[in-house]
Amino acid sequence: MFTGFELTEEQRLIQNAAREFAEKELTPEKSREYEEKKEFPWELYRKACQQGFLSLHIPEEYGGQGYGLLEHYICLYEIAKVDPPLADTIIVSTHFGIELIINFGTEEQKAKWLPLLVRGEIVMASMFTEPAGGSDLTRVLDTKATKIGDKEWKINGTKTFITNGEIFKVANVLVQTDFDAKPPYRGQTIFTIEKTSAIETRPIHGKMGWHLSPTSEVTFNDAPAKDEDILGGLPNLNRGFYLMLNWLPITRIKIGCLGIAAAEAALQKAIQYSKEREAFGRKIGSFQGLAHRMVDVAIKVELGKSLLFRAIKVLEKAQVDKSHMEEMTKLSSMVKYYGSALSVEACDLAIDVFGGYGYIAEYDVERWFRWAKKLDIVEGTKEIQKNAIARCLLGRDLTKYF
């Protein structure tokens, strides 16, 4: 991944260990089996947890290894290069939103949930999207929390497109707590709550791809919560939107990381096949038009890795120095936009190189292509990313209309 970016010896060991794990465990046969059965890969998830690949950036006092985000992304990239959809499921999605607990949770919240996640005993979810709102979280949310006592709340409403909706044990849920706040996002709060019988889930079927990861609609019917369940406690009442803005760059860079790794993996498959397959009496890689397309993707992959590395370094700086916040927002949206688009382009190229074989499951690139398209949508659409970048470039006065 980061060859030439002066990794330490320890970081190279992490890189090599992640690659070896992926090559041994994330076999094409396993991936196809999980995809066909539409089954969550519990065995692989727990193995990845037991070997420490999901807890690199979790503090040591909660069972993690206490590394930084760079080590976490190095691990993700190397595993994603072997099988992107499976890496997405076992590395990114299972702990989706864990950084919210690490960075903003109370000591009690961290002690309760982080060790369970480190050991792979549970998975978590983060619930922001609503049926009527999509990427727009600045509106009055339909999911609301109403206080019913000194310290107790009831949550009602529906969230949709929730990853791990059928299997989560704990979830970060963004809700409206101040119904009169202007603008509305100043009255939003994140609750970190356990799954109960008052939370109903309905699986969303018919997805284009990524079948091994459950996606659901989640409905709250007077779901109970307490003041102590507010992420970070009472000081963060009505501050949920701002906490989410601090977390989004982390997950957007993860999406970009997945996309660029997938693009490199798809390109490698295309190159290898083009050296083996013959048509019209010669290797298909010798056709200039096809070779030039592979060159275009190869250049974009190298540029993407540079952008990714820079975004991670700025993200690490922003966590200790708020003066880097705007640059972090800009670069995280750039790498998310760039990486997701590149993954689709590279997987499309690989299918073209494989020809008819690329369209069938045996050669994997069709599965990768179907998965890659979802990267364009999650954590903010392409248009949302462009809006965020434009605000950083032009200022809010010029971009207030979009």
Side-chain angles (χ1 to χ4, degrees):
M1 170 196 178
F2 294 124
T3 303
F5 291 110
E6 299 182 4
L7 297 186
T8 66
E9 180 62 27
E10 198 165 9
Q11 288 167 343
R12 284 194 292 269
L13 289 173
I14 291 170
Q15 187 178 44
N16 293 336
R19 185 185 306 116
E20 290 172 7
F21 168 80
E23 289 173 348
K24 178 183 177 182
E25 299 292 348
L26 276 65
T27 64
E29 293 76 19
K30 286 182 182 178
S31 300
R32 293 171 202 149
E33 180 182 357
Y34 286 125
E35 179 82 2
E36 290 168 6
K37 290 182 177 180
K38 300 182 179 179
E39 181 180 289
F40 181 80
W42 282 108
E43 180 186 2
L44 285 178
Y45 166 59
R46 290 181 176 127
K47 280 185 179 180
C49 288
Q50 289 162 7
Q51 296 190 34
F53 294 118
L54 274 70
S55 57
L56 287 167
H57 66 311
I58 297 175
E60 292 180 272
E61 57 264 38
Y62 306 110
Q65 297 172 63
Y67 288 103
L69 284 170
L70 177 56
E71 288 80 8
H72 174 62
Y73 288 116
I74 289 171
C75 175
L76 171 58
Y77 194 96
E78 289 303 317
I79 294 178
K81 278 202 305 183
V82 173
D83 192 282
L86 198 48
D88 187 356
T89 300
I90 66 173
I91 300 293
V92 177
S93 302
T94 45
H95 289 182
F96 182 53
I98 194 171
E99 293 86 6
L100 282 166
I101 298 177
I102 294 172
N103 293 336
F104 305 114
T106 63
E107 181 57 38
E108 292 75 17
Q109 289 166 341
K110 294 176 185 178
K112 182 176 183 178
W113 298 117
L114 293 182
L116 295 175
L117 290 162
V118 165
R119 295 193 295 267
E121 295 179 21
I122 65 172
V123 300
M124 69 176 298
S126 285
M127 305 183 183
F128 307 121
T129 305
E130 296 183 343
S135 294
D136 181 11
L137 298 177
T138 62
R139 56 193 279 277
V140 176
L141 298 176
D142 296 322
T143 308
K144 297 176 171 60
T146 305
K147 200 156 192 180
I148 59 171
D150 288 342
K151 298 182 179 181
E152 297 180 346
W153 301 74
K154 291 292 184 185
I155 300 176
N156 287 278
T158 299
K159 298 292 187 181
T160 195
F161 299 121
I162 303 304
T163 300
N164 297 333
E166 301 300 302
I167 59 174
F168 77 92
K169 178 67 173 178
V170 60
N172 298 313
V173 187
L174 184 69
V175 301
Q176 197 76 33
T177 42
D178 183 346
F179 312 134
D180 299 318
K182 296 189 185 305
Y185 58 79
R186 291 183 176 173
Q188 297 174 0
T189 301
I190 295 176
F191 282 84
T192 302
I193 59 174
E194 192 168 356
K195 190 175 185 179
T196 69
S197 59
I199 302 175
E200 178 185 353
T201 65
R202 182 183 66 82
I204 296 174
H205 298 296
K207 291 189 298 183
M208 179 179 176
W210 205 34
H211 295 143
L212 42 74
S213 180
T215 306
S216 306
E217 184 175 270
V218 180
T219 301
F220 299 84
N221 301 300
D222 283 338
K226 299 180 179 179
D227 283 351
E228 65 193 50
D229 297 321
I230 294 172
L231 180 66
L234 273 175
N236 284 336
L237 178 66
N238 297 324
R239 289 193 50 79
F241 182 81
Y242 301 99
L243 300 184
M244 189 185 62
L245 287 183
N246 277 273
W247 166 75
L248 273 177
I250 297 174
T251 191
R252 284 175 173 168
I253 292 175
K254 284 184 184 182
I255 298 301
C257 182
L258 281 169
I260 297 164
E264 183 172 357
L267 175 64
Q268 289 172 349
K269 279 186 174 287
I271 290 171
Q272 183 61 38
Y273 191 75
S274 74
K275 292 178 178 179
E276 300 169 355
R277 177 72 170 180
E278 291 189 3
F280 304 100
R282 67 196 213 200
K283 305 294 186 184
I284 63 173
S286 69
F287 289 95
Q288 189 180 64
L290 192 58
H292 283 184
R293 286 184 66 191
M294 289 189 283
V295 167
D296 288 341
V297 171
I299 292 170
K300 291 178 181 179
V301 167
E302 293 304 317
L303 291 172
K305 287 192 282 189
S306 296
L307 175 61
L308 174 61
F309 185 79
R310 183 180 171 202
I312 295 169
K313 299 306 289 184
V314 171
L315 175 62
E316 289 186 327
K317 289 180 182 178
Q319 292 191 320
V320 296
D321 183 352
K322 298 303 181 184
S323 67
H324 295 282
M325 290 291 291
E326 184 168 328
E327 187 181 11
M328 175 189 71
T329 298
K330 179 183 70 176
L331 289 175
S332 65
S333 287
M334 283 181 172
V335 77
K336 194 276 183 186
Y337 175 86
Y338 184 92
S340 57
L342 182 57
S343 66
V344 174
E345 179 183 353
C347 290
D348 181 58
L349 166 66
I351 290 174
D352 287 348
V353 170
F354 278 82
Y357 293 109
Y359 202 66
I360 61 175
E362 182 181 352
Y363 287 81
D364 294 314
V365 289
E366 64 84 31
R367 175 170 58 87
W368 292 9
F369 180 85
R370 290 185 288 105
W371 161 84
K373 185 58 189 173
K374 77 102 178 175
L375 299 183
D376 270 341
I377 302 167
V378 298
E379 311 322 313
T381 61
K382 298 188 293 289
E383 293 76 17
I384 290 292
Q385 305 312 318
K386 284 187 172 182
N387 283 352
I389 297 166
R391 278 192 289 272
C392 294
L393 296 177
L394 302 170
R396 292 189 175 271
D397 286 345
L398 288 179
T399 59
K400 63 183 177 182
Y401 300 105
F402 57 85

